[in-house]
Amino acid sequence: MILKILHYPDERLREPGKAVATVTPEIRTLIDDMAETMYAAPGVGLAATQVGEPYQLFLVDIAAEDEPSDLRVFINPEITDKQGKTTFEEGCLSFPGAAEDIERAERIKVRALDRDGKPFELEAEGLLAIAIQHENDHLQGVLMIDRLGPLKKRLLHRKMVKRSER
Ligand code: NI
């Protein structure tokens, strides 16, 4: 089922996700629906908080269009290490049409549970590391606009508010 993606400035995007106590069949259904929603958008990542489900859960698939899919599920994620700095032009399904340069760590380590509730640890760099940091922000109620300087922040805010009033 395709879920409705919340758009900035929807206040629900600010609500932090709760830890997932158990990976229940309901959580697995949510994961499947989120994957369908992400691929339909299309996007490279989607956090549960973006579809109005305040859980510590996000998905990432950075495979190019001509590559096989590479869906990764992160439940109760924790970024345990960050190294270096990199800037990349990011988009976000909650900010339709926006593309902004954002600085993030270049390499990270992340710990999480997979869709079977099994713990894993991953070292990531490049686009995967960027996508994980972007989605992990969503789980704290932090959005890409928060990572911009004051002028760009004001411009993007105005653009999104205008768009939401159409
Ligand atoms: Ni986003």
Side-chain angles (χ1 to χ4, degrees):
M1 187 175 76
I2 292 187
L3 306 170
K4 185 176 168 350
I5 298 173
L6 304 177
H7 291 165
Y8 180 90
D10 194 309
E11 274 305 308
R12 287 171 289 176
L13 290 167
R14 294 301 189 180
E15 190 180 337
K18 303 180 292 252
V20 175
T22 319
V23 182
T24 56
E26 288 73 24
I27 292 288
R28 285 208 189 89
T29 302
L30 175 59
I31 291 169
D32 292 342
D33 289 345
M34 282 172 60
E36 197 180 336
T37 305
M38 178 178 78
Y39 290 127
V44 298
L46 185 66
T49 52
Q50 288 180 275
V51 293
E53 297 283 351
Y55 289 111
Q56 293 281 322
L57 160 65
F58 66 77
L59 313 180
V60 165
D61 187 342
I62 59 151
E65 241 174 87
D66 55 349
E67 289 172 354
S69 68
D70 181 25
L71 183 65
R72 294 163 189 264
V73 177
F74 297 80
I75 299 170
N76 301 344
E78 192 191 342
I79 294 177
T80 56
D81 193 39
K82 292 185 178 189
Q83 298 290 332
K85 279 189 192 339
T86 185
T87 299
F88 186 78
E89 192 182 69
E90 297 184 15
C92 178
L93 295 177
S94 294
F95 289 81
E100 300 286 347
D101 282 339
I102 294 179
E103 189 183 274
R104 307 230 182 234
E106 194 176 15
R107 291 177 304 278
I108 59 161
K109 278 186 197 163
V110 59
R111 242 194 331 240
L113 305 178
D114 67 14
R115 64 170 289 141
D116 298 315
K118 278 210 204 95
F120 68 95
E121 195 168 20
L122 177 73
E123 287 184 34
E125 57 179 13
L127 185 53
L128 181 58
I130 290 164
I132 290 169
Q133 290 172 85
H134 178 115
E135 298 312 324
N136 195 61
D137 269 358
H138 274 297
L139 302 189
Q140 328 306 325
V142 174
L143 304 172
M144 62 185 275
I145 194 167
D146 305 328
R147 304 249 176 230
L148 299 176
L151 179 62
K152 283 189 165 179
K153 192 176 286 186
R154 205 150 50 223
L155 289 173
L156 182 57
H157 174 77
R158 213 178 290 160
K159 188 170 137 191
M160 288 299 137
V161 169
K162 210 178 275 175
R163 191 184 180 284
S164 73
E165 288 166 351
R166 275 211 302 256

